[in-house]
Amino acid sequence: MPFTTGPAPAPLDPSLVEKLGRVSFPTLGHYLEEGFADFGIRRLVGTARVVGRAVTVRITGQDSTVLHHAAGHCEPGDVFVIDTGGDTRHAPVGEVLAATLSFRGAAGVIVDGVVTDLDEVEHFGLPVYARGSSVLTTKLLSLDAGGVNVAVTCGGVAVNPGDVVLADRNGVFFAPVAVVQGIIDTALADDTEEPELVEELRRGARLGDLTGASAAVAGFGGAAC
């Protein structure tokens, strides 16, 4: 298909970003089942947690022309989500691309594929997530293909421009803004209860008693342990 571009997504609400900066990302997994990238996409560079809006880029396996174009329009807080079309041999992100995104204030980059120049990229502090690394890179072939701010797939998840992107050492999560807005306050409240729960466990309480799991098991009709 020829190159396609969509409108730039709306910025995330600053109040939502602030809440996302405080929540434990795995807490969202207590309440949601969709949006979690498969475990093959891991953080290879950086230490900071990622919170931002998705800028989506779809490239062909060997041509990063549209990615170079898109990187020049990165805005602070953007998270570049790159769909390589299943290619896991050619690395579209290296020192120069990471430098561009870092200087322009990107919050991170997520590649459903491989990256390169890990030592050099590390100096910029830009969190980079990918399936692995390679010394084989993409080229500037100027092919009329790919897209920017279009629907993509990353880690088995459908991602649209403007979606919320969260990532840390545990993994990567994508979701429409409305989904995150609907669950964030519940997740934050859950987080505030965990220290007390851990302290009760330290004092000898049984986890199943605290969570209600043991009461549920007692109702199964079998012998209680």
Side-chain angles (χ1 to χ4, degrees), residues 13-123:
D13 185 328
S15 65
L16 178 61
V17 173
E18 188 277 330
K19 290 180 178 180
L20 292 171
R22 291 189 283 119
V23 76
S24 172
F25 297 162
T27 301
L28 301 176
H30 297 341
Y31 303 100
L32 301 172
E33 192 65 30
E34 305 298 328
F36 300 90
D38 75 60
F39 65 87
I41 299 180
R42 309 294 298 175
R43 186 171 68 193
L44 299 186
V45 177
T47 58
R49 300 199 323 159
V50 173
V51 176
R53 69 171 184 177
V55 171
T56 57
V57 182
R58 186 177 64 242
I59 65 173
T60 65
Q62 298 181 35
D63 183 23
S64 55
T65 302
V66 299
L67 177 57
H68 281 222
H69 165 73
H73 296 275
C74 175
E75 296 183 10
D78 285 346
V79 181
F80 268 54
V81 181
I82 303 170
D83 180 347
T84 65
D87 186 284
T88 55
R89 297 183 65 236
H90 300 84
V93 174
E95 180 179 13
V96 173
L97 200 289
T100 298
L101 296 180
S102 177
F103 296 156
R104 297 189 66 86
V109 57
I110 318 291
V111 183
D112 196 342
V114 295
V115 295
T116 195
D117 295 337
L118 296 184
D119 290 337
E120 292 80 3
V121 170
E122 195 167 25
H123 295 300

Side-chain angles (χ1 to χ4, degrees), residues 196-211 214:
E196 182 179 347
L197 177 64
V198 171
E199 186 55 35
E200 290 190 59
L201 293 170
R202 190 190 310 278
R203 293 196 294 263
R206 291 186 173 90
L207 180 60
D209 292 339
L210 298 177
T211 63
S214 293

